[in-house]
Amino acid sequence: MSLFTTNRPPRRHHGAGRASVFAAAVAALTLLSLPARPALGHWISPEQIIGGLRNNPQLRDSVGVFEVQRNKRILIIRVIPATWQGVPAADRLHLAAEWWETWRHNVKEGVVAVVDARDDTSLVNFDGEGQPSLIQARP
């Protein structure tokens, strides 16, 4: 089981085909930045998830992750909008879904917010099943 998926079958994201090489590379780099987990356990602490996202220079440089923090059950990922918008939509959807599934699997009733680092406006909307849709950043 991946750190980014649950036992659910893979879901198709609106407007997204297969994840691109870019998204796969970023996801792999994120996986490598997370501390090792116990061999038999499937749970990753929220602190490990946050630390892995915060300390990943590839996410910062190629996706625009600016800041990551927790507010109780909410994972807040602040991104630089110009960098985030420069990533293909299919890749942003893939990453948002991976972040949601990882957080939700490890934090009871966890919620993910991907927001504009300038003013905290939402850049991704998740439906009740965790299916992401993109929201255009303001200029």
Side-chain angles (χ1 to χ4, degrees), residues 10-38:
R11 295 183 296 171
R12 306 261 323 157
H13 305 295
H14 299 292
R18 292 186 143 166
S20 74
V21 173
F22 172 82
V26 171
L29 291 168
T30 302
L31 275 172
L32 293 173
S33 68
L34 292 172
R37 63 180 184 200

Side-chain angles (χ1 to χ4, degrees), residues 9-79:
R11 295 183 296 171
R12 306 261 323 157
H13 305 295
H14 299 292
R18 292 186 143 166
S20 74
V21 173
F22 172 82
V26 171
L29 291 168
T30 302
L31 275 172
L32 293 173
S33 68
L34 292 172
R37 63 180 184 200
L40 298 176
H42 294 290
W43 184 77
I44 307 166
S45 75
E47 293 76 21
Q48 288 175 309
I49 295 168
I50 292 166
L53 293 170
R54 273 186 187 153
N55 299 320
N56 186 323
Q58 288 81 12
L59 280 177
R60 185 174 46 253
D61 297 340
S62 59
V63 180
V65 173
F66 177 75
E67 180 181 39
V68 181
Q69 69 181 82
R70 179 183 188 182
N71 184 351
K72 299 185 181 173
R73 65 186 181 99
I74 304 171
L75 174 66
I76 303 166
I77 302 172
R78 289 185 175 86
V79 297

